[in-house]
Amino acid sequence: MTLAAVRQMIIEKKLPIPHAMADTMSMIVSKFSDSGFECYLIGGSVRDLILGRKVYDYDFATNARPEQVQKLFRKVIPTGIKHGTVTLLKSNKSFEVTTYRADGKYIDGRRPESVSFSETLEEDVLRRDFTINGLAYDLLNGKIIDYVNGLRDIEHGIIRTIGDPVERFNEDGLRPYRACRFASKLEFTIDEETFKAIGRTLEIARKVSVERVRDEFKKILETKRPSIAIEYLRTSGLLGIFLPELVNCHEIEQNKFHIFDVYRHSIYSCDAAPQNNLVVRLAALLHDIGKTPTRRTGNDGDYTFYNHEVISAKMTRRIMKRMRFSNEEISKVNNLVLNHMFHYTDDWTDGAVRRFMRKVGVENIEELFILRQADRKGNGSRNGLPAPILRLHRRIEQVISDDNAMTVKDLDINGHVLMEELGLVPGPEIGRILNALLEMVLDDPALNRKDLLLEKAREISGSSD
Ligand code: ATP
Ligand code: MG
């Protein structure tokens, strides 16, 4: 949406509520109004409607107490009653309705010590984090209510705390991370005073649990350009709290083929990875993280980074464990990082192609190529993949479509048959023979026939006597 369009909407004060939602929402608000209560659309939904962005949650604020809301509607779930929030179900849609609040004192830099209800919308707005998140919309009269100059900041694309930034960040250490996230999500600038306050309140930000920081970080990785937020995180000091390894890549210059230092290459590769694929985004961000500890100066005076992918993979595992990512996410990202440096030449035998596929895992191959592409884009302007890599891709597709033997399970023989025919007992010997047979079949799929495999198995088991 253009700035002019945003301005026009602000002048008209009519928000484009999607048709499918409008009737239900009017019904809800009328019901409050008919019973003498106020009810406004609030927070992120108003902001996103003004910006013409897709809205995921429509949240309401009201002066009705939770128990009064429960009396007004039939389907009300007490989802966050402690904080005055209930969820309203209407026409197969759900809405969060929160009673006006004035947060009590903050003690641990995270949760208000007590939540007390307040009588006015203004007080409720003043407890919120940023001016752009402090707008309310009166659906019945088509009016935007703006106590904090949120419209001005939306128009100029600025993230600014409501009230004194140092105070607001000292109250809640998650807010600085949120500021950086909104910078990426909306492609906005953080106001200078607000930005400086992040650096002055790092001790509070440090107290936020790893899980909450990780969740913000994940949301950053889901935006179109995570590099915007990551650069704010770095320059404010927040990145050093949870990802110092990436800070250490800053100004690590590379060899003559790279225009960016390792840090910039990493964040731009992350931008270039698909927005909806968290695993590849993480792999892109971390794939070269081991370059800092492995950098040496070669004979020609240029830098080398031998084995950096192995170190990067180790560091990735450690970082993701520390941030409590799931084991599945860790092993997938780790695998991509470890294998990102593959070099292909046309003289690879079919066996070599199959071995490569087995090493990476057939289910991960596509993502490895996507990572490679992001890695290249993160180097500057180059697009797509070089011809040899595309030829490898084609050969892999060929192997998959030929449906050749890929794992021990795909062999035309199994452990039971081996035991019967060769008079073996259960034990590691069986696995050893099956793996040797698999190696053979990977080189020549035509050998995947029971009679040939048995013959070979006899040789192998005989040779180990
Ligand atoms: P998103 O698109 O990420 O959901 P949002 O603005 O809806 O953005 P939420 O986390 O869903 O963000 O919070 C809803 C609203 O609650 C915010 O718009 C803001 O007004 C308020 N809010 C959320 N978190 C905080 C916080 N830590 N401190 C103060 N106000 C907050
Ligand atoms: Mg929201």
Side-chain angles (χ1 to χ4, degrees), residues 320-436:
M320 290 183 70
K321 266 194 157 171
R322 189 176 71 211
M323 295 185 75
R324 314 233 168 108
F325 278 90
S326 73
N327 287 338
E328 195 191 343
E329 286 167 323
I330 295 174
S331 78
K332 281 191 151 187
V333 176
N334 179 68
N335 182 44
L336 291 177
V337 172
L338 183 63
N339 289 303
H340 84 268
M341 286 293 288
F342 64 91
H343 291 290
Y344 169 76
T345 45
D346 287 326
D347 57 7
W348 280 25
T349 61
D350 285 353
V353 173
R354 289 192 201 92
R355 251 188 297 279
F356 173 70
M357 292 170 67
R358 196 153 64 98
K359 186 168 81 154
V360 176
V362 182
E363 69 283 9
N364 305 314
I365 286 278
E366 204 50 44
E367 290 188 332
L368 189 64
F369 280 88
I370 296 173
L371 172 63
R372 186 62 161 255
Q373 202 161 339
D375 187 358
R376 270 172 73 79
K377 277 197 198 157
N379 260 338
S381 56
R382 284 176 298 174
N383 250 320
L385 288 168
I389 302 272
L390 290 174
R391 284 199 292 277
L392 172 62
H393 192 252
R394 227 167 295 134
R395 284 182 72 180
I396 288 172
E397 283 181 334
Q398 190 62 46
V399 171
I400 291 172
S401 70
D402 287 353
D403 195 24
N404 287 325
M406 291 304 302
T407 74
V408 166
K409 283 201 199 94
D410 297 315
L411 291 173
D412 193 27
I413 200 167
N414 60 35
H416 295 294
V417 176
L418 281 183
M419 287 192 280
E420 245 168 55
E421 296 283 335
L422 275 68
L424 294 172
V425 289
E429 175 70 356
I430 309 277
R432 192 182 71 84
I433 295 174
L434 286 172
N435 274 314

Side-chain angles (χ1 to χ4, degrees), residues 29-49:
V29 175
S30 303
K31 186 114 183 185
F32 276 99
S33 168
D34 292 347
S35 311
F37 294 114
E38 297 172 9
C39 180
Y40 300 102
L41 199 59
I42 194 97
S45 56
V46 182
R47 178 199 69 215
D48 288 344
L49 283 170

Side-chain angles (χ1 to χ4, degrees), residues 288-303:
D288 277 348
I289 198 110
K291 275 191 167 176
T292 304
T294 55
R295 186 169 77 161
R296 304 281 178 274
T297 307
N299 292 336
D300 58 356
D302 213 349
Y303 293 123

Side-chain angles (χ1 to χ4, degrees), residues 411-414 417-418 421-422 433-434 436-438 440-441 444-461:
L411 291 173
D412 193 27
I413 200 167
N414 60 35
V417 176
L418 281 183
E421 296 283 335
L422 275 68
I433 295 174
L434 286 172
L437 294 177
L438 178 61
M440 197 180 80
V441 170
D444 184 358
L447 297 178
N448 195 10
R449 267 174 34 199
K450 189 174 168 186
D451 54 334
L452 298 175
L453 292 173
L454 256 181
E455 191 182 309
K456 191 74 190 167
R458 286 206 172 85
E459 267 173 44
I460 299 170
S461 94

Side-chain angles (χ1 to χ4, degrees), residues 133-149:
N133 292 344
L135 293 161
Y137 186 58
D138 176 349
L139 274 147
L140 293 181
N141 300 304
K143 229 172 73 189
I144 296 173
I145 302 164
D146 181 8
Y147 291 112
V148 291
N149 271 330

Side-chain angles (χ1 to χ4, degrees), residues 119-252:
E119 296 304 323
T120 65
L121 173 66
E122 183 170 8
E123 223 182 327
D124 184 76
V125 164
L126 294 179
R127 72 161 173 97
R128 293 173 183 272
D129 50 5
F130 304 109
T131 60
I132 56 167
N133 292 344
L135 293 161
Y137 186 58
D138 176 349
L139 274 147
L140 293 181
N141 300 304
K143 229 172 73 189
I144 296 173
I145 302 164
D146 181 8
Y147 291 112
V148 291
N149 271 330
L151 284 173
R152 181 199 60 194
D153 285 343
I154 288 188
E155 203 182 324
H156 296 105
I158 289 175
I159 296 157
R160 186 196 316 270
T161 54
I162 295 175
D164 179 65
V166 172
E167 252 172 56
R168 303 311 309 281
F169 290 157
N170 272 329
E171 284 171 0
D172 179 355
L174 193 68
R175 287 177 188 153
Y177 296 97
R178 284 171 59 84
C180 298
R181 168 160 73 84
F182 286 121
S184 259
K185 181 185 160 109
L186 308 170
E187 306 205 355
F188 275 22
T189 311
I190 301 180
D191 158 71
E192 207 179 310
E193 284 305 307
T194 297
F195 177 77
K196 278 196 221 146
I198 299 181
R200 296 192 192 130
T201 54
L202 289 178
E203 283 319 305
I204 304 293
R206 207 182 289 282
K207 290 188 192 166
V208 179
S209 74
V210 290
E211 287 85 355
R212 296 196 70 109
V213 174
R214 179 207 55 212
D215 289 347
E216 284 301 313
F217 184 51
K218 271 178 143 177
K219 287 187 191 167
I220 287 170
L221 294 176
E222 285 165 9
T223 66
K224 189 155 164 254
R225 287 170 57 200
S227 63
I228 298 173
I230 297 172
E231 181 62 358
Y232 272 127
L233 289 167
R234 184 184 72 80
T235 50
S236 65
L238 291 170
L239 193 63
I241 293 177
F242 72 97
L243 200 44
E245 296 88 343
L246 188 57
V247 177
N248 292 341
C249 294
H250 186 244
E251 289 188 346
I252 297 294

Side-chain angles (χ1 to χ4, degrees), residues 271-300:
D271 282 357
Q275 192 178 347
N276 59 2
N277 192 328
L278 179 74
V279 163
V280 179
R281 278 237 155 143
L282 274 164
L285 185 67
L286 302 173
H287 75 284
D288 277 348
I289 198 110
K291 275 191 167 176
T292 304
T294 55
R295 186 169 77 161
R296 304 281 178 274
T297 307
N299 292 336
D300 58 356

